[in-house]
Amino acid sequence: MESQAKMPVLFLGHGSPMNAIEENEFVSAFRKLGREIPKPDTILCISAHWETRGTHVTAMPKPQTIHDFGGFPPELYEVQYPAPGSPELAQTARETVSMTDVGLDQKWGLDHGAWSVIKHLYPEADVPVVQMSLDYSRAPEYHYELAKQLGRLRQRGVLIIGSGNIVHNLRLIDWRRLNDMFAFDWATEAVEKMKSLITDGNHHQLIRMRDLGRAYELAIPTPEHYLPLLYALALQNKDDRISFFNDKPVGGSISMLSVKIETN
């Protein structure tokens, strides 16, 4: 894996699995992004939908497309994203992380947090994809520090993607208004404060999101959709610039906000 120009880092708000097959402004922005950024040699994706004890990476040459959801139309279950894996990247990631042992997984594949967005960036499925799991037993500080150790991969042609949602509360979603881009007041408060902290580079406060009050407790009832944001932010360098896109709410309690980190 030779050194080259530093790749950007992405946090993608993936939202509903239906974004994999629907036409809307979110997927249009993903496609546009795929045309704008340098095409990577490989992708390392940290998805909200692969939680494990310990940290693992997919190491098979041909990962399966996992339909890890229920209650959707049949055509969604027919979608396949046959991107190859990269045992080489999996081994490199394992060797790059020194703070824990990284397991090489042969069973998982690509869950919808990965393929439902990456398919819009690279519809030809011609970029190898490796997923890294979230250790559910660890605190946010741990995930942030682990992600920092992945920084050197940016100069080896690796596009690192965190996939989740910064506001994700399915218990409070208004299912009758899924097509309305509105947010509850607490969701708007949480998003605006997070954007301000991201812009200011205040990662310490973003790591300690539980200290930010009631709006954040509602926005992040469980951490798995938020943690991929910390993986992306941990990879920000002082010469990088931040930009936001897909900054829209869905159903009151979901934010599709996505973040691009790239070198000036």
Side-chain angles (χ1 to χ4, degrees):
M1 302 182 69
E2 297 179 358
S3 179
Q4 53 187 270
K6 186 162 59 178
M7 290 295 297
V9 179
L10 306 175
F11 171 76
L12 302 180
H14 64 244
S16 168
M18 289 297 291
N19 287 321
I21 59 174
E22 290 182 339
E23 283 297 325
N24 55 47
E25 66 179 271
F26 305 127
V27 301
S28 293
F30 293 147
R31 283 197 291 264
K32 181 173 182 287
L33 179 66
R35 295 191 296 267
E36 291 176 344
I37 65 174
K39 190 170 183 177
D41 295 330
T42 50
I43 293 171
L44 180 66
C45 182
I46 299 92
S47 164
H49 293 279
W50 191 24
E51 294 184 275
T52 59
R53 177 170 287 280
T55 300
H56 303 268
V57 288
T58 54
M60 69 288 289
K62 295 182 178 181
Q64 64 176 321
T65 302
I66 303 173
H67 300 88
D68 52 329
F69 41 72
F72 290 94
E75 54 265 34
L76 184 58
Y77 299 90
E78 296 170 1
V79 175
Q80 294 293 313
Y81 188 67
S86 175
E88 179 186 14
L89 175 57
Q91 182 62 36
T92 299
R94 183 183 195 183
E95 294 170 357
T96 299
V97 174
S98 61
M99 63 186 290
T100 189
D101 291 329
V102 176
L104 298 179
D105 178 85
Q106 300 291 338
K107 297 180 179 180
W108 185 247
L110 303 180
D111 60 53
H112 82 271
W115 63 261
S116 72
V117 288
I118 296 174
K119 75 181 291 289
H120 297 301
L121 271 67
Y122 305 108
E124 300 300 319
D126 54 352
V127 180
V129 182
V130 168
Q131 276 199 230
M132 174 173 278
S133 70
L134 294 170
D135 184 346
Y136 61 77
S137 70
R138 298 289 192 166
E141 293 85 350
Y142 174 88
H143 292 279
Y144 183 84
E145 292 303 321
L146 188 155
K148 276 189 168 297
Q149 297 194 335
L150 300 172
R152 69 186 69 176
L153 298 181
R154 291 183 64 187
Q155 290 183 297
R156 298 185 178 188
V158 182
L159 175 63
I160 300 176
I161 299 175
S163 177
N165 293 98
I166 66 169
V167 173
H168 186 268
N169 192 328
L170 295 182
R171 290 175 294 180
L172 296 181
I173 197 168
D174 188 337
W175 298 104
R176 300 164 300 176
R177 298 181 63 187
L178 285 180
N179 294 323
D180 296 340
M181 292 185 182
F182 84 100
F184 298 120
D185 289 346
W186 55 264
T188 299
E189 177 186 342
V191 169
E192 292 307 312
K193 181 62 175 178
M194 286 186 209
K195 287 167 59 180
S196 177
L197 292 171
I198 292 169
T199 300
D200 293 342
N202 190 343
H203 295 179
H204 175 75
Q205 191 66 75
L206 287 159
I207 291 168
R208 299 182 61 83
M209 69 281 189
R210 296 300 183 198
D211 297 341
L212 292 173
R214 178 63 174 165
Y216 296 87
E217 293 176 6
L218 294 172
I220 313 166
T222 55
E224 76 288 340
H225 277 74
Y226 181 81
L227 291 175
L229 172 67
L230 297 185
Y231 276 79
L233 294 178
L235 294 163
Q236 181 184 1
N237 300 133
K238 65 180 185 300
D239 59 342
D240 286 337
R241 66 179 179 271
I242 292 265
S243 57
F244 302 114
F245 62 100
N246 281 354
D247 186 10
K248 297 287 182 64
V250 176
S253 62
I254 303 289
S255 170
M256 294 294 290
L257 181 76
S258 299
V259 183
K260 178 169 67 170
I261 301 170
E262 58 189 337
T263 303
N264 279 310

